[in-house]
Amino acid sequence: MQESPIRWYLTAPQPCPYITDGREMQSLLVDPEARLDAAGFGALLAEGFRRSGRFVYRHHCPACDACVPVRIPVATFRPNRSQRRCQRANADLTIELRAPPGAVDGRAEADLDEHMPLFRRYLHARHAGGGMESMDRTEYAGMLSERHATVELLEFRRAGQLLGVAITDRTPHGLSAMYTFYEPDAPTRALGTFGILSQIERARALGLAHLYLGYWIPNAPRMDYKIRFRPAEGRRGGTWRALDA
């Protein structure tokens, strides 16, 4: 972990965006000005924390523990029939591993010019009215900032056309699927599923133990995709356990 102590903040209660029965949500935040190293950030992932842009947080709701952090043990993962069908449907795509725009190769403006139209189309189609829909290119670039770990981009292309981007945090023991966006007008490709499958393969190639997928909530259908990658593990009561156990 870090040499200097981390300062922590607790957010004010707000209506839960996931369970709409009057529950309130709070989050425990790492000081946004703190600079974690990759090992320290990885240790927080293993304790159920998550990154969203510049914020590293864990839900900390006094009256509710419905949010379950999920990770995939890479060594034992095997795609099911539907996931193998997704792989075949996207066999014509090339996967290009990239650093964040401008971090290494100096193509910041060109990369952002290419990413932003797809990012906005995806948000408008899948998350209209959400908090991210108004993000501009500066905020998007900030989401890719390597503050706590190496950030990798997996770009999915067909004949050169950008169809999807998986933003991934890399730590010494695992990858964290931070955010994936993709062409909303290609539903038969299941590009969200393909993005996770590609990140699992990336973790396997690196010899890393886990891919972290963030939170899953039972009975929240839009989150069920996270537990379709078997075996999935969930962190409950401070311990990671197989979700199908």
Side-chain angles (χ1 to χ4, degrees):
M1 296 293 289
Q2 306 308 113
E3 295 181 0
S4 57
I6 297 174
R7 290 186 296 178
W8 304 90
Y9 297 92
L10 188 63
T11 63
Q14 58 182 319
C16 178
Y18 307 113
I19 303 175
T20 57
D21 61 1
R23 299 187 205 192
E24 292 186 326
M25 182 181 75
Q26 287 184 274
S27 296
L28 183 66
L29 292 180
V30 174
D31 180 1
E33 298 304 316
R35 284 192 173 271
L36 303 169
D37 60 22
F41 177 54
L44 289 176
L45 288 174
E47 293 181 12
F49 280 77
R50 183 79 177 144
R51 180 171 85 88
S52 178
R54 63 193 293 260
F55 296 105
V56 177
Y57 68 96
R58 184 172 68 190
H59 292 321
H60 189 79
C61 308
C64 179
D65 60 356
C67 291
V68 180
V70 173
R71 70 185 185 185
I72 308 301
V74 170
T76 54
F77 169 76
R78 298 294 181 272
N80 61 25
R81 181 181 300 178
S82 174
Q83 290 157 359
R84 292 194 299 271
R85 186 164 57 246
C86 174
Q87 290 172 322
R88 290 193 296 271
N90 291 290
D92 60 335
L93 300 188
T94 59
I95 302 175
E96 184 175 351
L97 177 66
R98 295 290 303 279
V104 174
D105 54 18
R107 291 180 53 190
E109 294 303 315
D111 287 345
L112 290 175
D113 286 345
E114 187 177 29
H115 285 196
M116 287 306 296
L118 179 60
F119 183 59
R120 288 174 174 143
R121 283 201 310 277
Y122 170 80
L123 290 175
H124 180 72
R126 297 300 181 96
H127 302 287
M132 295 179 67
E133 193 176 13
S134 61
M135 284 181 65
D136 59 23
R137 59 193 290 132
T138 300
E139 292 170 312
Y140 173 71
M143 187 167 70
L144 308 182
S145 170
E146 297 189 342
R147 289 179 55 85
H148 307 307
T150 298
V151 178
E152 298 182 342
L153 307 181
L154 295 179
E155 294 182 342
F156 311 123
R157 297 179 180 273
R158 182 177 184 273
Q161 179 187 2
L162 183 67
L163 293 184
V165 178
I167 305 169
T168 312
D169 289 331
R170 177 178 169 182
T171 77
H173 301 292
L175 298 182
S176 178
M178 206 277 281
Y179 200 78
T180 299
F181 60 94
Y182 47 86
E183 178 54 63
D185 293 331
T188 59
R189 287 186 175 272
L191 289 166
T193 295
F194 185 68
I196 294 175
L197 292 170
S198 299
Q199 289 172 96
I200 291 172
E201 289 307 310
R202 174 64 177 159
R204 183 174 285 153
L206 292 169
L208 302 178
H210 299 102
L211 174 67
Y212 290 87
L213 294 183
Y215 290 107
W216 166 68
I217 299 176
N219 303 316
R222 63 176 172 160
M223 292 188 169
D224 280 350
Y225 72 91
K226 296 181 181 181
I227 62 169
R228 295 182 188 135
F229 298 85
R230 297 290 183 172
E233 295 178 345
R235 192 174 190 273
R236 287 173 164 148
T239 302
W240 290 96
R241 300 185 179 92
L243 285 173
D244 52 354

